[in-house]
């Protein structure tokens, strides 16, 4: 658990292994068990009623929407905090420049994956502090501070020559 109390900031944030484990158990393990149980009942001819399935679908939809909103909020706050430090704080336009290249080629200034080192990848999306990069059918993840937009591609590639 992390508790931060500073003179002008009183924020309590709890995200320890227990919290992670509970969330994973509740919304992954139990969801898998639920799907398995429903499938098993359907296979044995003891399917839940259409009303029960509809009600369960509505509950799952609501849970998914709430979890999605929470995830989006966490990623947005993480990005704000992350970009308030280091090179992003010194160069506030850097993030906008990177965001403007979604769907366009980028390279990584550093990577531990030799498969993509020095190669142009497509910036697929930005999730919080991570860039999701596409290389053909493969996806890679990197911190946004290692993403460098390719400003000019070799003339023959762009013009189709």
């Amino acid at each position: 658990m992390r508790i931060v109390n500073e003179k002008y900031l009183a924020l309590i944030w709890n995200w320890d292994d227990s919290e992670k484990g509970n969330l994973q158990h509740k919304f992954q393990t139990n969801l898998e068990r639920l799907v398995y149980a429903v499938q098993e009942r359907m296979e044995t001819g003891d399917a839940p009623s259409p009303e029960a399935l509809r009600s369960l679908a509505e509950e799952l939809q609501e849970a998914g929407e709430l979890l999605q909103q929470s995830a989006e909020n966490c990623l947005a706050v993480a990005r704000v905090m992350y970009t308030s430090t280091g090179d992003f704080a010194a160069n506030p336009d850097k993030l906008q420049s990177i965001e403007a290249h979604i769907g366009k080629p980028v390279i990584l200034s550093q990577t531990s994956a030799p498969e993509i080192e020095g190669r142009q990848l497509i910036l697929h999306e930005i999730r919080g502090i991570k860039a999701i990069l596409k290389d053909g059918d493969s996806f890679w993840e990197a911190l946004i501070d290692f993403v460098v937009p390719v400003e000019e591609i070799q003339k023959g590639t762009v013009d189709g020559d």
Side-chain angles (χ1 to χ4, degrees):
M1 174 165 63
R2 180 184 307 203
I3 299 175
V4 178
N5 286 312
E6 295 179 12
K7 188 173 183 179
Y8 299 106
L9 174 66
L11 170 68
I12 298 176
W13 174 251
N14 184 4
W15 187 245
D16 58 15
D17 288 342
S18 175
E19 295 265 338
K20 291 178 197 176
N22 289 338
L23 185 67
Q24 185 175 17
H25 181 75
K26 178 75 174 183
F27 292 104
Q28 284 182 300
T29 306
N30 286 351
L31 184 59
E32 290 170 7
R33 288 178 180 165
L34 173 65
V35 169
Y36 178 77
V38 169
Q39 286 176 338
E40 191 174 71
R41 286 184 62 184
M42 292 177 133
E43 289 171 4
T44 62
D46 187 26
S49 70
E51 295 80 20
L53 288 176
R54 194 172 300 114
S55 176
L56 184 56
E58 289 171 0
E59 286 179 28
L60 291 169
Q61 178 72 28
E62 182 181 358
E65 289 171 354
L66 288 171
L67 288 168
Q68 182 177 18
Q69 185 62 51
S70 293
E72 289 170 5
N73 289 340
C74 284
L75 295 174
V77 170
R79 184 184 314 177
V80 167
M81 290 182 179
Y82 193 78
T83 58
S84 296
T85 64
D87 192 32
F88 289 106
N91 184 2
D93 296 333
K94 183 177 179 181
L95 182 60
Q96 289 178 337
S97 174
I98 293 170
E99 288 174 331
H101 280 77
I102 292 176
K104 297 177 184 174
V106 296
I107 60 171
L108 294 175
S109 61
Q110 69 181 69
T111 179
S112 59
E115 303 94 327
I116 59 173
E117 188 172 355
R119 294 193 45 212
Q120 290 186 11
L121 307 164
I122 301 299
L123 178 56
H124 183 70
E125 71 177 290
I126 297 175
R127 249 186 237 156
I129 65 172
K130 296 181 179 179
I132 309 302
L133 308 163
K134 189 171 183 184
D135 180 31
D137 292 334
S138 299
F139 287 91
W140 296 84
E141 195 176 84
L143 290 174
I144 55 176
D145 27 0
F146 299 137
V147 173
V148 179
V150 175
E151 298 297 331
E152 295 181 12
I153 302 174
Q154 294 177 348
K155 184 176 177 141
T157 308
V158 174
D159 295 337
D161 294 339

